[in-house]
Amino acid sequence: MRLEELLQYDDIMIQCHDDPDADAIACGWTLLTYLESKGKTPRLVYTGERKVRKVNLLLMLDKFSIPLEYLPEPEGTPELLVTVDGQAGEGNMSPLPCRNLAVIDHHEVEDKRALPAMSEVRSGCGSCASVLWSMLMDEGFVPDIHLSTALYYGLYMDTNGFRGMSNPLDRDMQEALRIDGSVLSQLKSANLSVEELGIVGDALASLHRNPEFRFAVAQVRPCDPNILGVVSDQVMTVDQVDVCVSYCLLSDYVKISVRSYLEKVQADKLARWIAHGFLNDAGGDRMKAGGRLPLNLVRQVCCDVADTGWDGLEGAVGRLIYRRIASYFEGAIQLRAGEYQMDGSEVLYRKKKIPSGYVPSDQLFPEGTEILIRMIEGDAIKKAGPDLYIRIGVSGETYLNKREDLLRNYELLDEPYEIEGVYPPVVYHAETHEKKSLEKYAKQCVAKDEAKIWARQLDRRAEVITGWGMMLGEAGDWLAAKADNPQDIYIIRRGIFEKTYELAR
């Protein structure tokens, strides 16, 4: 979706999710400003059970004079409703009536068919601010220093001070924005009130940690749901804790906040695992997620699986969450290349005759130049040269290949290759940071008939230790090995496998 598509409407309402955070507010205000620059008069609103009351968010609204309105009840039916940092129908986005709907978000999508025609959802991004910033760049709209500071703060808060940032688009925005350091410092230093500090302190003092799987569960007394995220973020700074779930009991439900910096444990999937059987009102992204468990159902389950004990229902809920997290870790299998033995369930597949892309690295920069390849998987620094090729997959994923390996498995063509995917890969000069997009240089390559693999579909989560590092797969992904080396195993994502492989005949 392009932002210019929104300009066909006049009566526009922008909705942040309930209990809006810094990312949602920054995105809503930035989109409001963009639309106003095009002559529109939109409203920026949120709804839900409570008004914004967290001190840093109130300061943010005041410092930037953001006209965010609280709607305890729906008002009218706008011609267009745009939800930012959330999707209509999700548990944290109270429904508002509208005649047309658009979505800008960065959270995972359970069913893409449910998205409206006007939608831009990039689930790999650490913040919605990154998604909106990229869309603004496509329109040639450069945010001023105030908008830039708000977007930067949204990314900062959604990635726990950039510690959980891995997507290349997040890094691009962080480097490009020019911000007001004084205002940013004030926002960072106003994260908690004195009362909230006491709530956080009590939660940290009662932390329950699992040393084997390196996760922790924090019980938090009833509070603004945004405080749960603060608790989880604080716990994630503790040594030997890679995953945290904080929770509190509110009037009608248990609110949970999930954080994970482990590649093998995605926060949104863990949140849904914990919420399984409780209407599954949970979601988020790879590093941050949350959910709501209806209290009446939780009470029934806790009575079934454990005595409430001396610490009452709150303690029983904590034990239930703890057990569910442990079972999530215990459900994974671990395989190691060179040791794995095929069990006869594998089937022989071959690459389909569909083009992928390739770029010789020395076409981008002179031989010997240190280059930074910015990919979905992370940044890699290599030296450009005639032996280093960058291959681009059908979904825009990027691989590094030696020239001889590429020639052995692929026929190299001279026709341009059009890159698909949410993030067209780029390469930087490591010293000057000059940027070059691979789209301009990519040519087509097609797999040779010899490119065959043994593969079987996974029925559970798996960690595969390969010769070049760990690969992670979920149920539905594929475990594969080259036909001529069946112990050299690796993971192929389900969507990529279905696009690029077929049964060998």
Side-chain angles (χ1 to χ4, degrees), residues 358 406-407 409-413 444-448:
Y358 75 95
L406 197 65
L407 289 173
N409 294 300
Y410 292 87
E411 180 183 356
L412 307 189
L413 308 178
Q444 294 183 20
C445 59
V446 178
K448 295 180 179 179

Side-chain angles (χ1 to χ4, degrees), residues 4-261:
E4 63 182 9
E5 296 176 41
L6 308 180
L7 302 180
Q8 61 185 299
Y9 303 99
D10 292 318
D11 180 17
I12 303 174
M13 182 177 287
I14 303 165
Q15 182 187 4
C16 301
H17 59 69
D18 301 354
D19 297 308
D21 56 12
D23 188 33
I25 294 172
C27 290
W29 179 44
T30 302
L31 180 59
L32 178 91
T33 305
Y34 166 79
L35 292 172
E36 287 178 338
S37 75
K38 302 299 181 181
K40 304 298 179 179
T41 55
R43 294 175 68 189
L44 176 60
V45 306
Y46 71 103
T47 184
E49 299 177 358
R50 61 187 65 80
K51 288 185 175 183
V52 171
R53 59 188 184 190
K54 198 161 175 292
V55 288
N56 65 318
L57 301 179
L58 293 173
L59 179 62
M60 182 181 183
L61 294 172
D62 178 64
K63 281 289 183 182
F64 297 123
S65 301
I66 299 175
L68 178 64
E69 304 175 46
Y70 174 60
L71 297 185
E73 299 292 338
E75 293 181 7
T77 304
E79 187 181 8
L80 175 66
L81 177 69
V82 187
T83 65
V84 293
D85 199 28
Q87 301 156 35
E90 294 290 323
N92 69 339
M93 184 75 74
S94 296
L96 291 176
C98 64
R99 282 171 278 172
N100 297 280
L101 178 65
V103 173
I104 301 173
D105 192 21
H106 72 117
H107 295 102
E108 293 289 339
V109 181
E110 286 200 70
D111 185 0
K112 292 185 178 180
R113 295 170 297 180
L115 289 173
M118 290 187 296
S119 61
E120 187 70 22
V121 181
R122 305 186 190 182
S123 301
C125 290
S127 72
C128 188
S130 305
V131 180
L132 185 58
W133 173 79
S134 177
M135 298 176 76
L136 292 171
M137 295 302 99
D138 290 341
E139 303 298 337
F141 181 91
V142 179
D144 64 19
I145 191 169
H146 305 298
L147 293 174
S148 294
T149 304
L151 292 171
Y152 189 95
Y153 185 57
L155 175 64
Y156 175 87
M157 293 300 292
D158 249 32
T159 57
N160 193 16
F162 305 134
R163 286 187 289 269
M165 186 174 67
S166 62
N167 190 277
L169 189 58
D170 299 328
R171 298 193 293 274
D172 283 351
M173 184 184 79
Q174 180 195 19
E175 294 168 1
L177 292 177
R178 297 295 175 262
I179 63 172
D180 186 327
S182 175
V183 172
L184 183 66
S185 295
Q186 292 179 57
L187 292 172
K188 287 180 179 179
S189 63
N191 202 29
L192 293 173
S193 67
V194 173
E195 179 186 1
E196 291 166 347
L197 180 62
I199 293 173
V200 173
D202 290 345
L204 297 178
S206 61
L207 195 67
H208 296 278
R209 190 174 65 84
N210 183 300
E212 179 183 0
F213 298 126
R214 297 170 61 99
F215 71 80
V217 176
Q219 177 182 319
V220 186
R221 66 177 189 255
C223 61
D224 183 320
N226 279 313
I227 300 301
L228 285 178
V230 175
V231 171
S232 294
D233 289 340
Q234 285 297 311
V235 175
M236 292 299 288
T237 66
V238 175
D239 184 34
Q240 298 184 22
V241 173
D242 299 320
V243 175
C244 175
V245 177
S246 61
Y247 73 95
C248 70
L249 273 63
L250 300 176
S251 57
D252 297 319
Y253 58 87
V254 177
K255 176 69 176 176
I256 63 172
S257 172
V258 183
R259 298 289 186 271
S260 175
Y261 294 159

